[in-house]
Amino acid sequence: MGDQKESLRKITHTLAMKNEEISNFVCTLKQSLDNLEANSNRVQEDLESEFTSLHSVLDEMKESMVTRIKQERASRTYELQSQLSACSKALESSEELLELANQTLCSSETDGFTQAAKDIKDSVTMAPAFRLSLKAKASDNMSHLMVDFSQEREMLQALKFLPVPATPEIQVSESQVCDNTVTVAWTLPEPDSKIDHYILEHRRTNHEGPPRIREDYPWMVVEGIKEMEHTLTGLRFDTRYMTFRVKACNKAVAGEFSEPVTLETHAFTFKLDSSSSHQNLKVEDLSVEWDSSGGKIQDIRKEKNRTNSPMHSPARSALMSPKRAPTARPGRDRFTAESYTVLADTMIDAGQQYWEVKFDKESKAFAVGVALRSLGKFDQLGKSGASWCIHLNNWLQQSLTAKHNNKARTLDCPIPNSIGVYVNYDDGTLSFYNAKTKQLMHTFKTKFQQPVIPAFMVWNGSFSVVTGLQVPSVVQSGQRKNSGTSSSNASLT
């Protein structure tokens, strides 16, 4: 009976999965129909717009050419009419002079003939007819303004729909995920000189494989990519995967998206567990701020008549934990007394992890590190064998120390604005870096017997945590290079 139920459960599960696939496909088909209608209307409108634009260009060219012909005709007409007018006047004057010469020749009077002949000779010499150029100043030939549209006509007759660009293919082997950047590379089935640019879309996901219809995260778009690869920078990998797809575009149309490719974006993500934090710590998402009015006066302070004097601050002295063996705190009791501590909500029990914390350098005290779950509610970071940390003391005298099991080592390095924390659980390595320069500040070498949790402390100050970060490659290479030579916690135990 049990085997039959189990078999039926498997069948039921298979049917449910198949139904979900069919349902998703039905949604895809409906969406495709809607898209087809919208896209058809869009391309028709685009075509009409292109032809209207083409007609406008032809009309403008026609108007410009007609204007040029009219201007050329007007200019030549003016030249020829001016020359015609001058020639007509010269001819009229010449005819009058010719008539006067003939009359003088036919006259029988001899007294004034000599003077009349001399006057006619002088008039002929100065006559406009002898100063005229008998060559036309402008040609009547307008053939230089003729046009031949045979080639353009052939081009228009050859006009057809622009080919849709081929679908790219993302090359997983050439794509890289490193240092919180992703480089995606792709190829085309064959070269296409008409490709103008590419559009890359990506979205975060926790699901391996093809993207789902209903996804928690939207597609993010990167446009105008000219090369066949693109690098996304400044990412936070707060999901397990990222899905990518790309399409090619020419001047008029975009092709189809490539088959989506999902790349794993392994990184350590966590949140701060406000239920574990001291009452004087105001926890908001991944930020913590000291709030002196946030907690009640602890009973232990009342009993010992303690004050808020800096003499009893975490930077000055440690409140001794009750003499009891550390026990698991499944309820995550709040830290109390002067243990101004907050833990993360995620344990580390394998692998290499990395995160960064930016802190207010004016904080009176600040610490960052890891702790066992058995860390007591009265325990301060680094004051017991259940925690390892770097501690900033900013009261009276500034110092930076590495602490573990109530022993400390002063660090001879500048105090950074933010600290990177690297944990290699399997190798028992805990390293602290200047988050900006990746300079190694200190390394603990130990053997973690239990899972550890990111831990933080602040007094009269604030800090914020950056998660979703991969282990920087420079840190990994530095760990390999400095293996066996880094400072250890041997002097702190």
Side-chain angles (χ1 to χ4, degrees), residues 17-72:
M17 293 292 291
K18 179 55 69 176
N19 288 347
E20 182 181 2
E21 290 179 8
I22 296 174
S23 177
N24 289 340
F25 186 60
V26 168
C27 292
T28 302
L29 290 176
K30 290 181 178 179
Q31 186 65 47
S32 296
L33 285 171
D34 294 339
N35 292 344
L36 178 61
E37 181 70 20
N39 292 336
S40 298
N41 292 334
R42 178 180 59 80
V43 296
Q44 183 174 341
E45 291 172 0
D46 289 345
L47 181 63
E48 292 175 353
S49 175
E50 287 295 333
F51 270 97
T52 300
S53 176
L54 185 59
H55 291 157
S56 299
V57 170
L58 290 174
D59 288 340
E60 290 176 4
M61 292 181 64
K62 176 183 176 182
E63 183 177 352
S64 175
M65 287 179 161
V66 168
T67 300
R68 172 74 184 281
I69 292 173
K70 289 180 178 180
Q71 290 174 343
E72 187 82 4

Side-chain angles (χ1 to χ4, degrees), residues 121-376:
K121 180 180 178 181
D122 292 341
S123 296
V124 169
T125 303
M126 300 299 296
F130 292 95
R131 297 198 303 270
L132 285 176
S133 171
L134 298 182
K135 182 180 179 180
K137 291 184 177 180
S139 170
D140 61 353
N141 187 353
M142 296 288 284
S143 59
H144 66 289
L145 294 179
M146 297 295 291
V147 294
D148 178 13
F149 283 129
S150 58
Q151 185 176 357
E152 287 75 8
R153 189 176 294 107
E154 290 178 2
M155 292 176 61
L156 288 174
Q157 289 173 344
L159 189 65
K160 57 184 178 181
F161 291 109
L162 192 66
V164 177
T167 303
E169 181 180 356
I170 295 178
Q171 301 297 311
V172 178
S173 60
E174 300 296 325
S175 302
Q176 294 183 345
V177 180
C178 181
D179 291 329
N180 286 80
T181 66
V182 179
T183 298
V184 184
W186 56 88
T187 58
L188 289 171
E190 57 185 28
D192 187 347
S193 61
K194 295 186 179 297
I195 297 298
D196 179 69
H197 65 278
Y198 299 89
I199 295 177
L200 177 69
E201 292 191 351
H202 62 91
R203 69 178 173 190
R204 297 176 293 159
T205 180
N206 285 310
H207 305 291
E208 187 177 10
R212 302 185 175 191
I213 297 299
R214 299 178 181 88
E215 185 60 76
D216 295 334
Y217 301 97
W219 287 105
M220 308 301 291
V221 182
V222 182
E223 296 182 316
I225 302 172
K226 296 297 185 179
E227 305 296 331
M228 287 196 289
E229 71 171 34
H230 185 72
T231 300
L232 299 171
T233 60
L235 301 175
R236 282 185 59 194
F237 293 151
D238 50 1
T239 58
R240 289 190 61 191
Y241 305 96
M242 287 183 69
T243 301
F244 298 87
R245 62 184 186 182
V246 65
K247 62 182 177 182
C249 308
N250 54 35
K251 292 291 186 181
V253 65
E256 297 293 330
F257 273 113
S258 64
E259 285 295 322
V261 168
T262 301
L263 302 178
E264 185 173 5
T265 54
H266 173 72
F268 184 48
T269 59
F270 61 84
K271 296 180 180 179
L272 296 178
D273 183 7
S274 59
S275 66
S276 75
S277 67
H278 192 284
Q279 287 185 330
N280 284 110
L281 301 185
K282 183 180 179 182
V283 180
E284 292 185 1
D285 194 19
L286 289 171
S287 299
V288 175
E289 185 174 1
W290 166 266
D291 183 2
S292 60
S293 62
K296 298 178 181 179
I297 299 177
Q298 304 297 327
D299 292 339
I300 189 167
R301 293 184 178 177
K302 291 182 179 179
E303 294 172 1
K304 296 187 178 183
N305 295 321
R306 296 197 173 189
T307 67
N308 286 328
S309 168
M311 291 299 293
H312 299 288
S313 73
R316 298 288 296 178
S317 63
L319 177 65
M320 296 303 295
S321 300
K323 298 299 183 181
R324 59 182 176 84
T327 56
R329 295 161 51 244
R332 291 280 178 92
D333 300 335
R334 283 185 179 274
F335 289 97
T336 189
E338 294 177 358
S339 180
Y340 304 118
T341 304
V342 60
L343 301 178
D345 64 352
T346 304
M347 294 187 302
I348 301 173
D349 57 6
Q352 303 178 58
Q353 316 297 348
Y354 178 84
W355 65 95
E356 294 179 354
V357 55
K358 184 175 183 179
F359 57 94
D360 181 5
K361 295 175 71 172
E362 301 300 320
S363 301
K364 296 301 181 185
F366 169 77
V368 56
V370 298
L372 303 179
R373 288 183 61 88
S374 58
L375 185 69

Side-chain angles (χ1 to χ4, degrees), residues 286-467:
L286 289 171
S287 299
V288 175
E289 185 174 1
W290 166 266
D291 183 2
S292 60
S293 62
K296 298 178 181 179
I297 299 177
Q298 304 297 327
D299 292 339
I300 189 167
R301 293 184 178 177
K302 291 182 179 179
E303 294 172 1
K304 296 187 178 183
N305 295 321
R306 296 197 173 189
T307 67
N308 286 328
S309 168
M311 291 299 293
H312 299 288
S313 73
R316 298 288 296 178
S317 63
L319 177 65
M320 296 303 295
S321 300
K323 298 299 183 181
R324 59 182 176 84
T327 56
R329 295 161 51 244
R332 291 280 178 92
D333 300 335
R334 283 185 179 274
F335 289 97
T336 189
E338 294 177 358
S339 180
Y340 304 118
T341 304
V342 60
L343 301 178
D345 64 352
T346 304
M347 294 187 302
I348 301 173
D349 57 6
Q352 303 178 58
Q353 316 297 348
Y354 178 84
W355 65 95
E356 294 179 354
V357 55
K358 184 175 183 179
F359 57 94
D360 181 5
K361 295 175 71 172
E362 301 300 320
S363 301
K364 296 301 181 185
F366 169 77
V368 56
V370 298
L372 303 179
R373 288 183 61 88
S374 58
L375 185 69
K377 64 188 294 183
F378 295 95
D379 289 348
Q380 298 179 33
L381 294 185
K383 294 292 185 176
S384 72
S387 62
W388 300 256
C389 73
I390 277 188
H391 184 278
L392 169 67
N393 174 13
N394 208 24
W395 178 255
L396 298 181
Q397 184 178 0
Q398 191 177 68
S399 64
L400 190 65
T401 56
K403 290 187 174 184
H404 170 65
N405 203 22
N406 207 23
K407 294 182 182 292
R409 169 186 286 180
T410 301
L411 302 180
D412 184 18
C413 63
I415 298 175
N417 292 318
S418 57
I419 296 175
V421 185
Y422 166 79
V423 176
N424 188 326
Y425 185 87
D426 303 320
D427 287 350
T429 300
L430 170 63
S431 295
F432 298 89
Y433 290 84
N434 181 318
K436 182 177 181 180
T437 65
K438 299 302 184 289
Q439 179 184 0
L440 178 64
M441 301 167 61
H442 185 76
T443 293
F444 290 102
K445 290 296 292 183
T446 185
K447 186 176 182 179
F448 298 119
Q449 302 292 343
Q450 304 175 33
V452 293
I453 308 172
F456 310 87
M457 183 280 293
V458 68
W459 177 65
N460 279 359
S462 62
F463 68 87
S464 60
V465 184
V466 181
T467 70

